[in-house]
Amino acid sequence: MIHALVAGGGIGGLATALALARAGHRVTVLERQDAFTDIGAGIQIAPNGFHALHRLGVGRAVRDRAVLVDELRLRDAATGRTLVALPVGGRYRQRFGDPYAVVHRRDLHTPLLTACRAAEAVELVAGAGVRRFEQDAERVTVTTADGRSFTGDLLVGADGIRSTVRAQLLGDGPPRPCGHTIYRTLVPMERVPRALRRNAVTLWAGPGRHVVHYPVAGGSCLNLAAVVDDGATEAVSGRPAGRDAVLRRFADLAPVPGSLLRLGEDWREWVLCDRDPVDVWTRGRVTLLGDAAHPMLQYAAQGACQALEDAVVLGDLLADSPTADAPHRLERYNAARRERTGRVQLLSRETGTGLYHPAGDAARARDALLRPLDEDALHDRVAWLHSTPARAGARDGGG
């Protein structure tokens, strides 16, 4: 039996703990915060994410908390016209085996946390942020910020985009601000006009900016996000933003997105960051997972799904591994995941610039490309992304 140390108790870290525990190993999860909580707003879960959740035994629990989406809509933020609509109802669900859904972040984190707490093989340690690690041929020892030491057979850095494990493992500096600022808020659904209370993800695209909204928390709130390409270079995370300042930055929108933004009150802002894809994020008995390995912009809505896929693949590859073979299995995990995750990282960048933010001739070219696509063609376009990777395996029947 392997004893794995996992840095980070977010979605990726808890999913890793479940995957390794279900593979027969012992896991200690080290979380820097004083409690295992996850803040944030909405998350989109495509079928590939649900496939991974089923493998982890929590697919039904997440689905019960989710809002199942009927359509993904791209609309013009200036004119209000629909540019393209991707149906994700009956035919989509039949093809991909699961729904497309949206959840509040806690509605994904809580079922993973509950399952970890119920697993005898998983130990959860809060207030234990990993500061550094040392490894030799047989083991890894981590030192936490408060001076404690933990020793195991391997270490998984699932500690997010500003991973301390990555900083020591790869030494490649901080993540790259992409020059986009995102403002987020939640609006009680009773304040939203009834005509806009649809089970859809709607994105309003405009030159250098976009707005996206969808229901979360069982449909009780509208998740609302507004992004502007402002060349921001300072890494900001969750800073309060004034309502009037947000409205000024999006003053020229069509009536519907403009009216939705005026409903927002408690706004917070982030400067979006990512990294270039890398081929190697494993050395010896230490590897990375999720945003620590391949942080991506939100524009393909795949960050959480890719972390879940990582966890399942890692669990599969370590299922029958003796401790001596762990470094080789970690290399296989890295090799199995780098091409797909790198492709999603680049797609996420391209989507922001080419699909959501173009102007003038570039926007007209986008519209001409989208106009002839029917439902089948749209499903074909996303098939590589929303389908289960080969190693994700069979479902647990929890859907």
Side-chain angles (χ1 to χ4, degrees):
M1 176 190 295
I2 288 174
H3 178 204
L5 306 177
V6 176
I11 289 166
L14 296 181
T16 300
L18 277 183
L20 297 182
R22 289 167 71 88
H25 302 304
R26 185 162 68 94
V27 188
T28 300
V29 182
L30 305 172
E31 165 56 36
R32 66 167 62 97
Q33 302 297 327
D34 291 333
F36 280 80
T37 58
D38 206 332
I39 61 173
I43 289 180
Q44 300 179 46
I45 309 177
N48 60 308
F50 272 112
H51 295 330
L53 291 168
H54 294 316
R55 291 289 312 283
L56 298 172
V58 296
R60 186 179 298 279
V62 174
R63 182 166 171 166
D64 287 347
R65 294 165 173 260
V67 175
L68 305 189
V69 173
D70 299 317
E71 192 174 56
L72 309 180
R73 299 185 296 172
L74 182 67
R75 304 184 68 177
D76 190 301
T79 67
R81 65 189 176 92
T82 297
L83 302 175
V84 70
L86 169 61
V88 289
R91 290 174 60 189
Y92 173 93
R93 296 175 191 175
Q94 183 176 13
R95 175 169 179 174
F96 295 106
D98 263 305
Y100 196 104
V102 289
V103 296
H104 191 282
R105 192 174 185 91
R106 65 172 173 263
D107 291 331
L108 176 55
H109 186 264
T110 298
L112 292 168
L113 180 59
T114 300
C116 283
R117 285 174 170 159
E120 292 184 2
V122 177
E123 179 187 14
L124 301 174
V125 184
V130 172
R131 174 174 288 176
R132 62 175 293 102
F133 64 84
E134 296 179 357
Q135 65 171 315
D136 57 28
E138 297 181 352
R139 62 186 61 83
V140 181
T141 298
V142 304
T143 302
T144 62
D146 60 359
R148 286 179 286 174
S149 294
F150 296 83
T151 298
D153 300 307
L154 60 86
L155 169 63
V156 180
D159 49 344
I161 191 170
R162 292 173 179 83
S163 165
T164 57
V165 177
R166 179 176 180 133
Q168 182 177 344
L169 189 71
L170 301 186
D172 56 353
R176 176 193 73 99
C178 79
H180 295 179
T181 298
I182 184 169
Y183 300 91
R184 294 189 176 107
T185 191
L186 292 173
V187 178
M189 195 60 77
E190 62 265 22
R191 298 185 57 210
V192 178
R194 288 192 176 276
L196 300 177
R197 301 181 193 178
R198 298 184 58 182
N199 288 347
V201 176
T202 302
L203 188 142
W204 303 83
R209 68 199 63 212
H210 73 268
V211 173
V212 62
H213 56 85
Y214 50 83
V216 294
S220 65
C221 292
L222 186 75
N223 182 74
L224 187 57
V227 179
V228 59
D229 184 351
D230 58 359
T233 58
E234 175 191 357
V236 172
S237 181
R239 184 170 65 190
R243 177 179 181 271
D244 290 344
V246 173
L247 294 178
R248 281 196 299 271
R249 304 201 81 174
F250 297 89
D252 54 350
L253 299 182
V256 171
S259 67
L260 286 175
L261 290 187
R262 287 191 289 275
L263 297 176
E265 293 181 351
D266 297 321
W267 290 94
R268 290 186 177 272
E269 66 177 305
W270 286 256
V271 172
L272 299 181
C273 300
D274 70 351
R275 293 182 184 271
D276 293 330
V278 296
D279 287 337
V280 178
W281 63 66
T282 294
R283 290 180 181 169
R285 294 180 173 271
V286 182
T287 193
L288 304 175
L289 183 142
D291 282 348
H294 43 73
M296 55 191 65
L297 301 179
Q298 286 89 332
Y299 301 149
Q302 276 285 313
C305 291
Q306 292 304 308
L308 294 169
E309 287 185 10
D310 285 350
V312 168
V313 171
L314 184 58
D316 285 346
L317 285 169
L318 290 172
D320 59 351
S321 175
T323 58
D325 198 37
H328 174 61
R329 302 298 181 96
L330 296 183
E331 289 178 357
R332 288 176 59 190
Y333 150 73
N334 188 160
R337 294 297 295 156
R338 63 189 173 204
E339 181 177 351
R340 176 169 170 82
T341 57
R343 185 179 178 188
V344 181
Q345 284 178 283
L346 296 178
L347 171 70
S348 299
R349 286 182 184 176
E350 294 163 2
T351 300
T353 56
L355 189 62
Y356 298 163
H357 291 179
D361 290 343
R364 286 186 284 273
R366 173 203 62 195
D367 297 352
L369 180 66
L370 295 174
R371 196 173 298 118
L373 298 178
D374 61 12
E375 182 174 358
D376 289 333
L378 290 168
H379 290 173
D380 289 344
R381 288 290 184 99
V382 300
W384 74 272
L385 187 59
H386 292 182
S387 296
T388 312
R391 289 200 62 87
R395 293 172 52 175
D396 68 357

